Amino acid sequence: MSMQHILEAIQADAPGEVFAELAIPESYRAAHVLRAEETMWDGVASEDKDPRKSLHVGDVPTPEIAPDEVYLAVMASSINFNTVWTSIFEPLSTFGFLDRLARESEWATRHKQDFHVVGSDASGVVLKVGSAVRNWKPGDRVTVHCNYLDDQDPSAHDDSMLATNQRIWGFESNFGGLAELSIVKANQLMPKPSHLTWEESAVNALCGSTSYRMLVGRNAARMKQGDNIFVWGATGGIGAYAIQLALNGGATPVGVVSSASRVKLLEAMGCDNAIDRREENYQFWSDEHTQDEGEWRRLGKKVRGLLGDDPDIVFEHPGRQTMGASVFIAKRGGTVVTCAATSGYMIEYDNRHLWMKLKRIVSSHFANYAEAWAMNRLIDQGRIQPVMSEVYALDQVGDAAMKVHQNQAEGKLGVLCLAPEAGLGITDPDKRARIGEDKITLFQRHARGEL
Ligand SMILES: NC(=O)c1ccc[n+]([C@@H]2O[C@H](COP(=O)([O-])OP(=O)(O)OC[C@H]3O[C@@H](n4cnc5c(N)ncnc54)[C@H](OP(=O)(O)O)[C@@H]3O)[C@@H](O)[C@H]2O)c1
């Protein structure tokens, strides 16, 4: 049985019984890295590591599904920064994660392979469900969030991001979403927004849910109406959802970007306060070891000029380059919420500015199922839009990852897996028209130079 039969059933909108009868192919096309190549970048500078050389697209064997899992026909996926990390084997080779997972249970041993299928986002159709799956059935159109955990562990039952064995699917587990088929736990599934294409539906879960937890959920910064929110990388993956969540929640965002073109995109999103960090030429570090407080002050003054006040929340992820400035500019009593450290994870800031002004640094990491579900619902309601700027074929996954690695992509890059072309998968065109084609496709129109 080939993938073609599966695709035909999806395109014919076949009933669930038809999907349940389809045989699962013994192998499938997937983007993966190879264990044999995990030292290939030794001695190479980060920026020179080229994901096009380490990400391969080819057949891998199909594993069995565990009772709590489903086979998913993946129509589309997206590039996340974690796929860049895997492809450049930084800060660690992800094969170490797979080997550790394999030690946890008999089913987990499947993950220890000499290939690692990457990808932590997906939209698609459920093909078969394991014997313990209750809420989903063959034929369901779904999106997937990447919080992968063992729900038989008590530590997973308050906030599941606190589970001792919490992992990110397709990064710390195998059989991820950048493939024509995937293995997904039933508790990763969410309904696909009916007004979006496969690729528009596939780009939101990882970045959108991360931003939701950081800003809106009760576990991190807990944004309120009227708050001022300072967002680094405001047209990037997580930043572009943060800007939308701020606007949708009655807050005032100020977004930082690095080009006039990104300022234009930010303004088109409805964010009136934009800072072009390249034009302003902030030099927060005067040398490798010394930060320049004068430059923090210059940024703080700029923000006050725009907002009339200091930010209640600083949405932080660049890390070493910006954390000193982020702690400085946050309002007295304000919150710096961080989920990453793209420019380096050994962080330095002046602690006097933290304690004397009673500020908080709050950590955040992806989202629990309830938070991911809440974000998916906002997207389904058309209150938050997908920030997809471009679409790539699965074969071009290396090019797409390279673009993200080089900070040349806006928002999210979609990847077509089984979907033969972009634009398919909308089942409620009236809803799409009500929400507005222009709003939904803003990032794509910007990428085509149409703004
Ligand atoms: N913990 C989690 O669950 C989680 C989830 C998602 C992402 N992340 C992490 O969060 C980070 C951002 O992810 P993303 O998907 O938003 O990436 P992205 O799409 O590449 O966007 C990041 C943006 O940050 C800005 N930036 C990069 N380096 C910077 C620097 N040195 N100083 C100031 N701004 C800088 C860039 O915007 P401008 O150049 O326009 O300023 C860039 O567009 C990554 O490290 C990723 O791994 C973590």
Side-chain angles (χ1 to χ4, degrees):
M1 181 62 71
S2 71
M3 287 291 175
Q4 190 55 33
H5 291 85
I6 292 173
L7 179 58
E8 283 166 14
I10 294 170
Q11 290 186 305
D13 201 12
E17 310 83 80
V18 170
F19 284 102
E21 291 303 315
L22 291 174
I24 302 296
E26 285 176 5
S27 64
Y28 64 102
R29 285 178 71 244
H32 58 274
V33 293
L34 294 170
R35 192 185 289 267
E37 294 181 349
E38 66 183 350
T39 55
M40 69 188 282
W41 300 122
D42 285 1
V44 179
S46 272
E47 59 273 22
D48 297 330
K49 297 178 182 174
D50 184 344
R52 291 171 295 192
K53 295 193 176 138
S54 49
L55 277 175
H56 305 279
V57 178
D59 276 11
V60 298
T62 308
E64 251 187 273
I65 48 169
D68 60 346
E69 293 176 340
V70 310
Y71 281 120
L72 182 76
V74 183
M75 295 302 276
S77 181
S78 91
I79 303 292
N80 283 294
F81 220 94
N82 65 8
T83 293
V84 176
W85 297 128
T86 301
S87 68
I88 63 174
F89 298 107
E90 277 193 33
L92 300 164
S93 160
T94 47
F95 285 99
F97 299 148
L98 304 186
D99 297 350
R100 205 165 315 134
L101 169 57
R103 291 197 286 273
E104 285 193 357
S105 72
E106 203 180 314
W107 282 109
T109 57
R110 294 168 303 165
H111 292 264
K112 182 175 178 173
Q113 301 287 344
D114 289 333
F115 58 84
H116 183 185
V117 177
V118 293
S120 302
D121 268 323
S123 67
V125 178
V126 174
L127 296 176
K128 274 197 173 34
V129 302
S131 56
V133 174
R134 294 175 302 283
N135 298 337
W136 305 93
K137 57 185 188 324
D140 283 348
R141 293 172 169 232
V142 296
T143 60
V144 178
H145 75 76
C146 62
N147 183 10
Y148 182 95
L149 54 95
D150 177 356
D151 59 12
Q152 290 177 23
D153 184 325
S155 65
H157 285 272
D158 181 4
D159 167 14
S160 62
M161 287 306 295
L162 296 182
T164 47
N165 52 13
Q166 187 281 330
R167 291 183 164 84
I168 299 295
W169 164 71
F171 178 60
E172 294 164 292
S173 76
N174 213 330
F175 317 120
L178 283 162
E180 293 182 344
L181 193 74
S182 189
I183 308 291
V184 177
K185 284 185 188 265
N187 64 14
Q188 291 176 258
L189 297 176
M190 307 185 291
K192 175 191 167 296
S194 52
H195 64 292
L196 297 180
T197 64
W198 292 113
E199 58 281 7
E200 288 164 351
S201 309
V203 300
N204 308 300
L206 190 148
C207 282
S209 312
T210 301
S211 302
Y212 182 92
R213 181 180 174 104
M214 287 175 80
L215 283 184
V216 183
R218 68 176 74 130
N219 291 301
R222 306 178 75 150
M223 179 187 92
K224 321 182 291 305
Q225 294 183 35
D227 276 355
N228 290 319
I229 317 288
F230 178 97
V231 179
W232 290 107
T235 59
I238 54 176
Y241 291 104
I243 293 289
Q244 293 189 71
L245 287 165
L247 291 169
N248 190 51
T252 305
V254 51
V256 183
V257 287
S258 62
S259 69
S261 155
R262 288 181 178 179
V263 167
K264 201 169 170 187
L265 177 58
L266 204 47
E267 287 169 353
M269 291 172 78
C271 178
D272 300 329
N273 305 304
I275 298 176
D276 182 340
R277 68 180 169 102
R278 205 147 281 168
E279 190 181 72
E280 299 283 345
N281 194 24
Y282 294 115
Q283 302 291 333
F284 300 130
W285 290 80
S286 39
D287 63 45
E288 209 184 314
H289 307 288
T290 323
Q291 296 195 60
D292 181 349
E293 184 168 331
E295 287 293 272
W296 301 347
R297 288 187 187 282
R298 188 157 74 86
L299 174 65
K301 201 170 164 198
K302 175 87 185 169
V303 176
R304 275 190 188 171
L306 289 167
L307 300 173
D309 203 350
D310 298 327
D312 298 279
I313 298 172
V314 177
F315 185 91
E316 165 64 42
H317 52 93
R320 184 169 173 82
Q321 285 293 326
T322 56
M323 191 65 160
S326 293
V327 169
F328 179 81
I329 64 167
K331 191 174 180 168
R332 178 180 275 266
T335 302
V336 177
V337 58
T338 177
C339 75
T342 316
S343 65
Y345 47 81
M346 293 306 284
I347 300 294
E348 283 177 40
Y349 61 86
D350 185 334
N351 205 26
R352 291 168 299 179
H353 293 300
L354 188 83
W355 98 71
M356 291 296 288
K357 304 248 172 80
L358 301 112
K359 303 177 187 183
R360 301 185 306 148
I361 297 175
V362 175
S363 62
S364 193
H365 183 41
F366 186 57
N368 62 36
Y369 197 4
E371 289 162 334
W373 190 280
M375 184 64 183
N376 192 60
R377 192 177 53 180
L378 287 171
I379 290 162
D380 184 56
Q381 291 169 342
R383 291 170 198 257
I384 301 290
Q385 310 306 332
V387 295
M388 188 186 70
S389 56
E390 288 177 89
V391 187
Y392 286 74
L394 186 56
D395 284 329
Q396 301 169 307
V397 72
D399 297 310
M402 185 68 175
K403 200 161 180 176
V404 173
H405 184 29
Q406 294 180 328
N407 187 15
Q408 287 173 356
E410 267 91 46
K412 299 288 305 168
L413 302 182
V415 177
L416 300 178
C417 296
L418 263 184
E421 60 192 83
L424 305 175
I426 300 166
T427 48
D428 192 342
D430 294 342
K431 180 176 163 194
R432 188 175 178 92
R434 271 198 312 280
I435 293 166
E437 186 72 24
D438 274 4
K439 268 163 87 176
I440 297 168
T441 58
L442 178 68
F443 274 64
Q444 294 175 70
R445 291 187 295 113
H446 177 262
R448 292 196 296 261
E450 290 170 13
L451 287 194

